[in-house]
Amino acid sequence: MSSGELVVLSVGGVRFVTRASTLQQFPESRLARMVSDDDREFRLVDGEFFVDRDGTLFSYIMDFLRTLQVSLPTDFSDYQRLQREAEFYGLYPLADLLSQEHLLKPRLEILEVRFSLQEMRAFFRIFGSCSATIEALAEQITLFTGQQAGQGWNSPFPSQKPLIPLPLERPSHHDVVFLCGTEYSAGDQLVARYVSIKPDTRKLINGTNVLGLLLDTLLRDGFRLVSTRTVASEEKVECYTLERMKRAAGLAIMVNQTPGSSGVPQARRSQVGKGK
C-alpha cells in the first residue's frame, strides 16, 4: 500500500479515514504493520480494517499520529486506559508520555485582584500564578493621564489636551499595579488617570467601573470568581480570588527517520527532551 493511499478503519464501530503515511509514522507499530499487511489480527472487511478496540480513545491515537503531539481535553481522566491502548498499538513513545500524567494534566491557575478605594483614587494590584497570563493581561490594560477640567469622580470627560499613555508598574513577572482617578499635583492642577481594558475601548476613571470591567474581562477569559474578602479593613483593601483550569501544553515527539532506522528510539529520546 502506497503512503498516500487512503485507509479506512472501523474501531469499535467508529469509522476513521486517514492516509497510510499517517499510520506509518512509527514503522514498528502494529498500525504500520497493519498497513503493510504484516499483522493478521487486523482483518480487512469490505475494504475497511476492523479493530475490536475502543473507538473513542482511538480518536486521541489518531490525533497523536497526525500531529505528533499529546493534547488532551481539560476534563480527560482516562490516562491509564489510553496508555493501555497505546501499548496495544505498539505506540510506546505515546505510552511513555501517558505514564507521566503530571505533564499532561491541566493545572489550576489562580489570579488575585486587590482593590483599594481611597478618596478620589482607586488602586489595583493583580497577582497571578501564571506569568504568561499576567503578561497577556498587561498588554490588554492601558493607562492614560491628563489634566481634568472638572472636579472628582463626577467629571468623566478628559480635557481637550491629548491623553498621554503611561506604563504599567510590573513589580515582578507575576503581578501588575496601576491606579485610576484624580489627584492634585503641584500648582493645584487636577490630574486624572484613566484605564482602558481591551477589547473595550472606553477610558474609565471611576475605580468601581474599572473593577467591574476587569472582572468581566477575566470571567470571559475562562476564570471564575471563588471568593471575595477584605484584606485590610483600615485601608479598605478588597481581594477577589479567581481560578481556572489551564490546559497543559501539548507535548511533542520528534520522529527522526534515518535509513535502516525504525524511528522509535529517536522518538523516545526526543520525548524526554520535550517533557519539561
Side-chain angles (χ1 to χ4, degrees):
M1 182 176 292
S2 66
S3 62
E5 192 170 342
L6 293 181
V7 180
V8 181
L9 301 92
S10 177
V11 184
V14 182
R15 194 169 181 266
F16 297 88
V17 181
T18 187
R19 294 186 182 276
S21 57
T22 301
L23 301 175
Q24 293 169 331
Q25 287 280 13
F26 298 88
E28 291 190 354
S29 70
R30 297 190 68 185
L31 292 171
R33 297 202 305 270
M34 175 192 73
V35 173
S36 302
D37 203 25
D38 292 333
D39 194 317
R40 298 298 180 181
E41 184 173 339
F42 299 122
R43 295 184 294 110
L44 194 61
V45 180
D46 296 329
E48 300 182 4
F49 284 101
F50 174 75
V51 185
D52 191 16
R53 303 294 292 191
D54 191 306
T56 300
L57 292 178
F58 190 72
S59 64
Y60 300 117
I61 299 284
M62 284 303 308
D63 182 65
F64 167 72
L65 291 174
R66 287 166 174 152
T67 65
L68 295 183
Q69 288 190 350
V70 184
S71 183
L72 301 172
T74 55
D75 59 350
F76 185 82
S77 59
D78 288 337
Y79 293 93
Q80 292 184 347
R81 291 183 61 217
L82 185 55
Q83 180 184 353
R84 186 168 64 243
E85 294 299 295
E87 291 172 347
F88 170 81
Y89 293 110
L91 297 169
Y92 297 108
L94 174 59
D96 289 345
L97 273 182
L98 290 168
S99 68
Q100 305 177 62
E101 294 184 24
H102 65 284
L103 297 177
L104 299 170
K105 286 184 175 179
R107 299 177 181 178
L108 183 64
E109 183 179 352
I110 303 295
L111 198 69
E112 187 177 274
V113 178
R114 295 196 175 189
F115 170 69
S116 176
L117 189 61
Q118 299 177 10
E119 296 182 352
M120 296 186 296
R121 294 183 297 171
F123 296 83
F124 293 84
R125 188 161 196 169
I126 306 172
F127 301 85
S129 60
C130 177
S131 59
T133 297
I134 295 298
E135 186 69 31
L137 192 58
E139 293 179 359
Q140 288 181 262
I141 300 174
T142 306
L143 302 184
F144 299 91
T145 185
Q147 290 185 357
Q148 180 74 4
Q151 297 285 326
W153 295 105
N154 295 322
S155 301
F157 301 104
S159 64
Q160 297 299 319
K161 295 182 180 180
L163 295 177
I164 302 172
L166 291 176
L168 292 174
E169 292 184 44
R170 295 293 306 278
S172 74
H173 293 295
H174 289 272
D175 59 346
V176 61
V177 178
F178 61 92
L179 63 88
C180 66
T182 56
E183 61 183 337
Y184 285 99
S185 63
D188 288 335
Q189 291 286 340
L190 193 62
V191 178
R193 291 198 179 196
Y194 301 84
V195 176
S196 178
I197 305 177
K198 297 176 183 177
D200 195 293
T201 59
R202 292 173 296 171
K203 296 179 177 65
L204 304 178
I205 192 173
N206 185 295
T208 303
N209 293 340
V210 173
L211 176 64
L213 178 58
L214 175 60
L215 294 178
D216 285 345
T217 301
L218 294 173
L219 293 174
R220 285 196 301 269
D221 200 32
F223 283 93
R224 67 185 187 95
L225 183 63
V226 294
S227 71
T228 303
R229 68 184 191 277
T230 300
V231 178
S233 56
E234 294 181 358
E235 299 178 356
K236 299 180 180 179
V237 178
E238 299 175 0
C239 178
Y240 299 82
T241 302
L242 303 98
E243 66 180 29
R244 72 175 173 183
M245 294 302 293
K246 186 179 181 183
R247 182 191 299 273
L251 297 180
I253 293 181
M254 301 303 295
V255 182
N256 182 22
Q257 298 289 5
T258 57
S261 169
S262 67
V264 176
Q266 291 88 344
R268 282 179 175 172
R269 286 198 297 271
S270 182
Q271 173 262 313
V272 173
K274 290 285 184 179
K276 296 181 181 179

